[in-house]
Amino acid sequence: MADGQAPQTPGTMRLRFPTLPDLPCALLELYEAGCTAAADLRVLPPITLEQWKRVLAPQRPLQIRFEGHPRVGTLELDALVNLIVERPKYSEIHLNFTRLSPSQQEQLRNARASIKQPPVSTPKPMPRTTAPIPKPGAADAMSSKRRLGTVLIQMGYVTDAQMDEAAKLARLKGQRLGRYLVGSGVVSADVLCRALALQSGLPVTDLAEAEITDDLCAVFPMPLLMRYNFVPFDTSSRMVCIAAATPLMPAVVQEIEKACNKKVEVFLAREDVITKHLSGLRRHHAAQSRRFIRYDCEIPTTYQLCTRFTGPIEQVVHQGVTKNISEGGLLIYGSPSTQARPEDLLRQGVFARITVGDQVGHQVHALCRIKAIKDLSGHWQMGLEFTELSSEDRRTLKELCVRAMLAKGQPQQPEK
């Protein structure tokens, strides 16, 4: 279904709320536990439009009256608003049924069996704000009631057997279920994002054409963005809108609010698009933070991946060689980790404990922050920033930089 066209529908329905005139809708999709409808709010009188906009908020109860499908008839059901997605020419309304009687469940099963669900298309960019923000705690309550697999099954994109198999394989691979489902082609990234929104009650935003400005780059420290896998996409004097790949825990939202000293509104977006924006922000951050001259050199290096405070995350000690070195950090080529993908390590804020040099007394031992990782056909290229060095190691580092400068004749330009 294209955003700029009228949707093809299997029926019609009306949304009902006390004191308001009925809102005519087109039935887009019908699930076991809910449905999706399209409504053109632009045709409503201004006062009625504002009233319905206030009603169409997450967790708001209302009534549905199905009219245009012979297998549903004039069935009336109670429902909760779950998600609103603003399309260019209509509003897409996602609803969850409540208090279904056995006879109502049977009627819905018959209707679903006779409706051919429309294929899922890749949506064009949506406005940044695509739904009202749920009340605090609403997302957590919804998340605790339904698991992601249950939502996808109820949406009709996977079967129980497919979900059981996917959950087992995801556990074996050590991946999140949603990431495994997208990576293995079971569902698309758009469907996963939509399911997470239905599960959590959070609004969705499309970042495909969003521009992350310098002002937005300065709102949060880069390690915080990587740790929780989110990007800011809009800000004001009192509020910041952020897009995350998965719903964030309340404690995480509080930490993010403390970091920016503003109220934070959380949206969901496709993980691949967020990763792309984070890569751009990393490059921007690295370009802004470079302060030392880099010297091309090849010095043997060993390194072990670790956290800053709790020690190694794997027992392997990797072998590598420097590409360049400076008093602020270094670029190395080395063997890859088998524990996680580069983007996972960057998001988790993993460090590396390194030893640079091949002579006793001329070695630098340091803890480094991993700022960038590039997978190059069987080995990794990693950009590292020195975090902890002793005074003696810092003197030795300066000696290595001087030797590299003399060996090559001319250093690279100072890092800006």
Side-chain angles (χ1 to χ4, degrees), residues 342-388:
E343 55 265 36
D344 295 328
L345 296 176
L346 291 171
R347 183 169 58 251
Q348 294 165 12
V350 172
F351 286 69
R353 191 162 292 281
I354 69 165
T355 300
V356 183
D358 58 355
Q359 300 178 34
V360 177
H362 292 85
Q363 292 182 333
V364 175
H365 306 277
L367 181 69
C368 295
R369 184 191 306 278
I370 301 176
K371 299 187 69 175
I373 305 176
K374 184 181 293 185
D375 194 343
L376 300 175
S377 301
H379 67 276
W380 282 0
Q381 175 182 289
M382 295 198 299
L384 305 174
E385 177 186 34
F386 290 120
T387 303
E388 295 179 8

Side-chain angles (χ1 to χ4, degrees), residues 6 8 40 46 55 74 84 87 100 105 108 115 119 127 157 189 215 253 272 277 281 283 285 298 343 346 380 395 416:
Q8 297 179 354
D40 187 356
V55 168
T74 56
I84 309 294
R87 304 297 186 183
L100 291 177
Q105 293 175 358
L108 287 173
I115 292 176
Y157 291 107
D215 290 342
V253 176
D272 57 332
H277 280 292
L281 289 176
R283 290 192 294 269
H285 178 78
E298 294 185 358
E343 55 265 36
L346 291 171
W380 282 0
R395 286 193 297 269
K416 298 179 181 179

Side-chain angles (χ1 to χ4, degrees), residues 277-309:
H277 280 292
L278 284 176
S279 297
L281 289 176
R282 272 202 312 272
R283 290 192 294 269
H284 177 90
H285 178 78
Q288 294 295 320
S289 61
R290 292 172 180 165
R291 296 179 290 118
F292 300 97
I293 297 175
R294 294 171 292 171
Y295 304 96
D296 289 337
C297 60
E298 294 185 358
I299 305 174
T301 304
T302 62
Y303 57 93
Q304 187 176 28
L305 302 180
C306 63
T307 64
R308 183 164 188 174
F309 301 109

Side-chain angles (χ1 to χ4, degrees), residues 239-261:
M239 183 176 297
V240 179
C241 295
I242 68 172
T246 58
L248 301 177
M249 298 293 290
V252 173
V253 176
Q254 291 175 5
E255 180 180 349
I256 295 172
E257 289 179 334
K258 185 177 180 180
C260 66
N261 199 28

